[in-house]
Amino acid sequence: MTVGKVADDTVLNDLVATDMVNHAAGPQGRDGLKTILRTIEVDLGPTELEQHHLIGAGGLVVQHVTLHGTHRASTMPLLADAPVTGRSEVRRAELVELVVEPGRVHRCKGAQAFVANG
């Protein structure tokens, strides 16, 4: 299990295709993913990532992570009905399937659940 801070999104330039298809969210492509990550940081930041499993075979990678943060805003659709308290630790458990072709992520599918504490 690894816990770390969410990194600068410029690393995505080397890892994600510009036209990546994101089946789990509206914003598309590398820039769409950057928008999603910035929105998560605004809504739940500062965030920490806890990695449980990272499994790869051929061009398929599955990642099981939990994102930890404090609910500070509700700008993302998944948090639209959640009251902002500024005190609650929010955990976002996620299982992400990534399709990697010539060294870059080309497709992303994810299942997630939010859990608010305190």
Side-chain angles (χ1 to χ4, degrees):
M1 174 179 6
T2 303
V3 177
K5 297 284 184 196
V6 174
D8 177 3
D9 69 8
T10 58
V11 71
L12 298 177
N13 295 338
D14 294 330
L15 300 175
V16 177
T18 57
D19 60 348
M20 181 196 78
V21 175
N22 188 342
H23 296 280
Q28 296 296 307
R30 180 190 306 143
D31 289 338
L33 180 58
K34 288 180 180 183
T35 298
I36 291 166
L37 295 175
R38 283 191 292 270
T39 301
I40 290 170
E41 194 63 27
V42 166
D43 284 4
L44 303 176
T47 58
E48 289 189 0
L49 184 68
E50 179 180 3
Q51 183 155 301
H52 305 287
H53 304 96
L54 183 63
I55 303 164
L60 181 64
V61 176
V62 177
Q63 181 182 36
H64 174 205
V65 296
T66 300
L67 186 75
H68 299 270
T70 301
H71 189 183
R72 301 187 187 286
S74 290
T75 62
M76 70 175 87
L78 291 170
L79 291 174
D81 295 326
V84 177
T85 67
R87 295 184 315 251
S88 296
E89 193 212 48
V90 177
R91 291 175 291 140
R92 176 182 172 169
E94 189 160 354
L95 186 62
V96 181
E97 176 186 316
L98 305 170
V99 176
V100 181
E101 297 167 356
R104 294 199 176 183
V105 176
H106 283 265
R107 283 195 322 264
C108 174
K109 292 190 247 181
Q112 62 229 342
F114 280 94
V115 179
N117 297 323

